[in-house]
Amino acid sequence: MATNGQVPAARRALAVLRLLAGSAGPLPASAIARELGLPRSSTYHLLTAMAEDGFVAYVPEERRWGLGVAAFEIGSAYLRHGPLERLARPLLRRLVDRAGEIAQLGVLHGAETLYLLKEQPPRHATLVTDVGVRMPAQLTASGRSMLAHLPAAQVRALFPGPAAFVDRTGRGPASPRELRRVLAEDARRGWSAEDGQVTEGFASIAACSFDHTGHPAAAVTVTFRRDRRPEDTWPDLAAAVRATAAGLTARLGGRPPAPR
């Protein structure tokens, strides 16, 4: 049984893993200590212990620490077990029954949306956004619903300039300034929409689900033929999508972020 002294140590180790996982590359021990508010001596001891078990690795040429093989193995095991998809599937099925449209689950993968799950009613049109497909995040409703809740600095790093904006149909944000405006509006109303920016004639509405830190974990999306749903009906559909996303947040043990 874990003692009280072991619990803070475990939390510090998990904090190190989260910090390294969210970093663009290995970090110096001094930066890890500073970001986590830890004494430098304690940080070195912690990193050494984690390295012995393979969770972090030291790069001597750079004097930096990165994720180790053991962390990769745990991440791979997570993907094999697919808990996110298992938790989301029943919710998406109920959303399909309620909306009569295709429902999908997506996550951010860099500057792209990666689709993990799709549920659809019988005899429905096939979409380009199938399971395993990646699309430019700034064009998809699911991608924007997650980007809207990321720190501004992270969004700037993902979309530093016009060259980062992939175009499919000639619609959608094409510059950092346009993207900031769209994301601010999406964050304000609590859902995102795209109209013909991924596929001509189709529109999508999405809402974000959050993890225990209030960070975007995934997005729930409904996609439909544009000519079947007038735009004044979208808020009602968005309410159903938001309810599903909130249900997934609860299943993840998550919480919405604090208002900005």
Side-chain angles (χ1 to χ4, degrees):
M1 182 176 180
T3 66
N4 289 339
Q6 290 172 323
V7 172
R11 286 177 175 165
R12 287 195 294 269
L14 291 173
V16 169
L17 291 174
R18 289 196 184 102
L19 177 63
L20 292 176
S23 172
L27 296 173
S30 58
I32 295 172
R34 183 176 61 253
E35 288 292 329
L36 301 181
L38 300 174
R40 287 198 180 191
S41 58
S42 299
T43 302
Y44 281 109
H45 288 309
L46 179 60
L47 289 170
T48 300
M50 294 176 69
E52 289 175 355
D53 289 328
F55 286 98
V56 299
Y58 182 61
V59 185
E61 293 81 5
E62 302 178 21
R63 297 183 180 179
R64 292 171 178 253
W65 297 82
L67 292 175
V69 174
F72 172 78
E73 290 172 346
I74 289 177
S76 298
Y78 178 91
L79 293 176
R80 290 197 302 273
H81 287 270
L84 182 59
E85 293 95 311
R86 288 173 181 266
L87 291 171
R89 191 181 299 276
L91 300 177
L92 261 64
R93 285 175 175 168
R94 289 198 285 272
L95 180 58
V96 168
D97 291 340
R98 179 177 176 180
E101 306 288 357
I102 291 177
Q104 293 178 281
L105 182 76
V107 295
L108 276 180
H109 191 273
E112 297 177 314
T113 300
L114 171 62
Y115 292 94
L116 301 180
L117 185 63
K118 181 171 79 171
E119 296 290 332
Q120 66 183 65
R123 298 181 297 278
H124 202 286
T126 301
L127 300 177
V128 66
T129 51
D130 208 341
V131 173
V133 170
R134 299 178 186 181
M135 299 295 295
Q138 87 281 2
L139 295 182
T140 66
S142 52
R144 292 209 296 259
S145 72
M146 292 181 281
L147 291 172
H149 296 285
L150 289 181
Q154 189 171 347
V155 175
R156 286 195 299 270
L158 292 172
F159 299 94
F165 289 80
V166 179
D167 174 61
R168 283 181 58 86
T169 65
R171 303 177 184 176
S175 70
R177 182 176 182 180
E178 288 181 54
L179 182 60
R180 285 195 302 270
R181 179 185 57 78
V182 170
L183 296 183
E185 171 62 18
D186 289 352
R188 183 194 63 78
R189 69 182 177 184
W191 53 279
S192 302
E194 66 85 13
D195 186 359
Q197 295 168 21
V198 175
T199 303
E200 292 281 0
F202 284 86
S204 298
I205 290 172
C208 188
S209 296
F210 303 93
D211 64 16
H212 69 287
T213 68
H215 189 81
V220 174
T221 308
V222 162
T223 301
F224 49 92
R225 290 193 62 88
R226 180 68 173 82
D227 56 9
R228 287 177 49 181
R229 288 185 177 269
E231 197 165 340
D232 60 4
T233 67
W234 291 11
D236 289 339
L237 183 58
V241 175
R242 291 185 70 185
T244 302
L248 181 56
T249 295
R251 287 186 166 214
L252 294 170
R255 60 174 177 82
R260 297 183 181 181

